[in-house]
Amino acid sequence: MSVIAVRNIHKRFGNQDVLKGIDLSVAKGETVVLLGSSGSGKSTILRTLNLLDLPDEGDVFLHGNKLGQARPDGTRRYRGGELRNLRRRVGMVFQHFNLFPHLTVEENIMIGLRRVLNYSITQAREKARHHLDHVGLAEKALAFPDTLSGGQRQRVAIARALAMDPDVMLFDEATSALDPERVSEVLRTMRQLSQEGTTMVVVTHELGFAYNVADRVVFLHGGRILEQGTPTEILLHPTHAPTREFLHAHTEFRLPSA
Amino acid sequence: MRHIWDFSFLVHYLVPLGRGLMNTICLSGMVTVAGFTLGLLAAIASMSPLRTVRMASAAYVELLRNVPALVILFLFFYVIPVLTGFQNDRFLTACVAFSLYTSAYFCEILRGGFLAVDPGQWEGGQALGLSRAGIFCWIIAPQIIRAAMPSLANEAIEIVKISTVASTIAFPEFLYQTKIVSDIEYRPIETYTASAVVMTVLILALTWVSRIAARHFAGHRRKK
Ligand SMILES: Nc1ncnc2c1ncn2[C@@H]1O[C@H](COP(=O)(O)OP(=O)(O)O)[C@@H](O)[C@H]1O
Ligand SMILES: [Mg+2]
């Protein structure tokens, strides 16, 4: 059974149809990479998975259970409690980290544990330290986010999401705001999570990551899923022209393999 | 004609001047607390999803900001008793008038602080499963205070100065007492010089306290 799934999702912003019927289902332990050009709706899909954006049409499922209650007009209504319950089970890592600047690194991780999962301070601190250690930042527990490098901040953000013991992790261009030499430390952390069996949905432009880590690659175009399959199928033998153009644009300048 | 400076007469007036100073401090304190609270409510209203509530808040702020404090004070002191047949206490009148007046400024300061917080902070909190109230309390509000602290402190200092306007309705605050002493003794130069020094010391003390508060609120631990 899928951990998280969406069925026939439609989303409009103003008069722009951003998602035009998306079906996506993520199995336990699976790593799915979403590819697509800028503005193709990748972020919107991730944000629908944890209902940060509410779809205009379509359903969201957590462990096979359809969320929300039906309204007479066919759309669905989501209660605050249900949204919060979903979001604490779905970890999200943002392009710009969204760490809390007035809190120390460990307090950033503790706040969800304390205020959502009702941990005591001692328990929360212990768990925060454990997850910081996991991303290799144990010694930064008492630092403030603005004293860290971008790569370190993103690893803190990953630890913060992981500390909630989510059923699935969403990554929205987690390395796009980083200096090039900081990208690999974050990608390594993400690969490690994938290898440990974390269920993940990853939006990235790092094709090497997609090729080496993804179980499945999904290519989005014009608000629809154009094609999906194994990394080899999609990245090496794409069948649609837009996919080929996208891949070409992303690999035009690269070193020949030795 | 040469003026011969002599401050010695002032020792006879320490009690009334001290009382004036206390009144100034009480009035300013009350206005700061009430003005901040009203300003906070107006700021919250200005971010309401309801258009009418937002417009009401904007109208409130514009109205109070564009009328001099003196006019609002006279309005409450002279006009309202005529309309209601109820003579207000001077202290209360000044409190109400200045609280309304400064609440417009507090509202703008708090709104500015709110807008300065990155919207990504809400999403960061939502993604953890925090409630909106929780996000506001633990994530947004501390950052607003941090961003707005210098302006808030500035407004508190401004209030001390505005409070002297209450002398126009014969509320015995510091400036009013100063004027009486000066009139009795016929020595305005010394009296007002001394009162300026006292006011400056009071405001410097306030600045110093607000700096400490700012450092405390603003996460003093950030300063390495
Ligand atoms: N909150 C919003 N309001 C209006 N338009 C939006 C909003 N969020 C996204 N969009 C639009 O939806 C389209 C898809 O956005 P997004 O999902 O962020 O794309 P991607 O992440 O693939 O670059 C874009 O054209 C964007 O301008
Ligand atoms: Mg995006």
Side-chain angles (χ1 to χ4, degrees), chain A residues 132-161:
Chain A
L132 275 177
D133 196 36
H134 196 195
V135 298
L137 289 172
E139 79 282 10
K140 296 291 185 187
L142 299 177
F144 279 90
D146 60 5
T147 65
L148 305 182
S149 73
Q152 289 172 329
R153 285 185 216 184
Q154 196 56 295
R155 280 146 66 204
V156 172
I158 293 172
R160 179 174 74 178

Side-chain angles (χ1 to χ4, degrees), chain A residues 13 16 18 37-44:
Chain A
F13 287 112
Q16 180 191 11
V18 175
S37 49
S38 178
S40 61
K42 305 179 296 294
S43 298
T44 308

Side-chain angles (χ1 to χ4, degrees), chain A residues 207-222:
Chain A
L207 298 183
F209 179 87
Y211 184 76
N212 286 291
V213 181
D215 297 307
R216 176 155 55 113
V217 176
V218 173
F219 185 78
L220 277 172
H221 183 73

Side-chain angles (χ1 to χ4, degrees), chain A residues 42-43 95 172-173 203:
Chain A
K42 305 179 296 294
S43 298
Q95 183 174 353
D172 193 358
E173 301 203 30
V203 169

Side-chain angles (χ1 to χ4, degrees), chain B residues 27-51:
Chain B
L27 178 60
S28 305
M30 290 284 287
V31 169
T32 304
V33 172
F36 179 86
T37 310
L38 287 173
L40 181 62
L41 294 177
I44 291 169
S46 77
M47 284 165 301
S48 161
L50 302 174
R51 212 174 101 90

